[in-house]
Amino acid sequence: MNIDPRNAAGASADGHDALSQPHQLEQAGSPVRLSADQVEFEDQLHGLHSVHQTPDPAESSSAPNEAVPEISHYPAASFVSARAQLAATLTGATLEALKNEIALAERQSARWAPAGDDSVDRDRIFDNVAGSAYLKLHRLQNQDSDCKPRAEASTCAISHVRNTARDHSSIGDPLERYPLDRARQAGWHMRGKTASPFVSLVEDPSKLTISRDHWARAIANNANTLHTYAVPKSAIWTPDDVLSSIGLGMNVEDQDNIDADVDLMCSLGRTPTAETERLFLGGDLENYRIASEDNPYKGEIGD
């Protein structure tokens, strides 16, 4: 198994090279440039630092008989863990970028953490976040570039996640996870119309060899390479969530689409589940590749 060198240390959280920004942090005596997403990330985290500021002496002296509230310190380990969780969900960090974010957060916390606070265990925090916020998925391919979608390849998965969250916050919290138009695209992709912005992956590639779908078996028997990706769960589309979003978003007064939506839901209901299929939206899946190996199922014939 070959580890993909593209997830090298120093990559920014969104998978792109760091851009020159006015926000800079000191690392080993030299400034570290932050990407646009990281700058936004730093701005959103800025409020956490304010809880550690010492009160103005003039304000505390105006009420000498009142007890001065004790200043509570935010535990360094909690800060680093929270930042790591946000890096996974807000910026869609790769695993290597997640390690870098954890190290950066530890250095930042050292500026205000109580003396002797050595509670930060980088490896434990990384393992916890990687285990809870990421999903390991697989894709059988002939070329490394075969992880690109056939449409809207410039779409960034984590940007869609942020835009959807922003829409939800502005209109309330709709029950459907995905916008109806995207859910329809995902549904038809699962039914074989793969000229879409999505890319198919699976949790268990061995199940493809015994799938009732002859296309799935053909891929398993003929592809050259098995690639492994570690993808933030927030960027993954599941069949159940797609089906639910279509059902919840259907409008009986929308006669132009209601019949097609009913047909799609019925079709999805007949889709084999053995493949453990998951969808990724966008053209940046290769940033999340962590390993590759020769296809161990090539030439196998399913039952």
Side-chain angles (χ1 to χ4, degrees):
M1 183 174 293
N2 302 315
I3 301 300
D4 195 324
R6 285 177 290 183
N7 283 335
S12 67
D14 62 356
H16 300 287
D17 294 336
L19 303 175
S20 178
Q21 298 290 342
H23 294 62
Q24 292 186 338
L25 298 172
E26 296 297 327
Q27 179 180 1
S30 60
V32 177
R33 295 180 298 176
L34 302 181
S35 69
D37 277 339
Q38 286 174 310
V39 169
E40 179 184 358
F41 188 29
E42 295 294 335
D43 289 341
Q44 294 189 41
L45 288 174
H46 181 71
L48 290 177
H49 294 278
S50 63
V51 300
H52 311 293
Q53 295 175 353
T54 304
D56 189 331
E59 295 179 0
S60 60
S61 62
S62 62
N65 295 327
E66 295 182 6
V68 177
E70 182 181 351
I71 300 174
S72 60
H73 292 280
Y74 195 72
S78 297
F79 171 80
V80 176
S81 180
R83 182 186 175 102
Q85 288 283 352
L86 289 174
T89 56
L90 182 64
T91 71
T94 64
L95 289 184
E96 194 61 45
L98 178 65
K99 292 181 180 179
N100 295 340
E101 293 288 353
I102 290 172
L104 176 60
E106 182 184 24
R107 289 193 295 272
Q108 288 182 323
S109 68
R111 301 174 183 175
W112 45 259
D117 184 353
D118 58 354
S119 60
V120 177
D121 184 336
R122 292 188 189 181
D123 291 338
R124 179 179 59 81
I125 292 174
F126 173 81
D127 289 343
N128 287 343
V129 175
S132 63
Y134 289 78
L135 192 61
K136 186 177 289 186
L137 298 171
H138 307 274
R139 180 172 170 82
L140 289 157
Q141 302 173 198
N142 287 320
Q143 305 292 333
D144 286 355
S145 59
D146 287 346
C147 60
K148 292 284 187 182
R150 297 184 181 181
E152 300 182 42
S154 61
T155 299
C156 174
I158 205 64
S159 293
H160 169 77
V161 170
R162 286 200 297 265
N163 291 340
T164 301
R166 189 176 297 115
D167 292 342
H168 283 194
S169 65
S170 65
I171 62 176
D173 187 15
L175 294 175
E176 67 272 14
R177 177 174 178 183
Y178 308 126
L180 183 56
D181 60 336
R182 286 298 193 190
R184 287 168 175 157
Q185 287 180 317
W188 287 118
H189 182 103
M190 292 176 183
R191 296 306 300 142
K193 296 183 178 180
T194 56
S196 79
F198 292 93
V199 179
S200 293
L201 303 101
V202 293
E203 290 190 24
D204 186 351
S206 68
K207 297 293 183 63
L208 294 176
T209 63
I210 57 174
S211 171
R212 288 185 290 133
D213 186 334
H214 71 282
W215 289 112
R217 294 197 306 275
I219 291 172
N221 295 334
N222 294 288
N224 293 327
T225 310
L226 176 65
H227 294 272
T228 302
Y229 300 86
V231 185
K233 289 182 179 179
S234 59
I236 294 300
W237 296 58
T238 69
D240 286 345
D241 285 336
V242 169
L243 189 60
S244 175
S245 292
I246 294 173
L248 290 168
M250 286 170 55
N251 187 340
V252 294
E253 296 179 358
D254 183 4
Q255 296 301 320
D256 293 334
N257 293 298
I258 186 65
D259 291 340
D261 286 341
V262 170
D263 289 344
L264 178 55
M265 291 183 66
C266 292
S267 181
L268 284 174
R270 296 190 298 270
T271 301
T273 58
E275 297 92 333
T276 61
E277 183 179 15
R278 301 290 180 262
L279 296 185
F280 180 87
L281 171 66
D284 54 336
L285 178 60
E286 62 185 336
N287 294 332
Y288 298 97
R289 185 183 297 140
I290 58 173
S292 62
E293 61 179 311
D294 292 340
N295 178 13
Y297 313 108
K298 189 170 185 178
E300 287 190 8
I301 300 176
D303 295 335

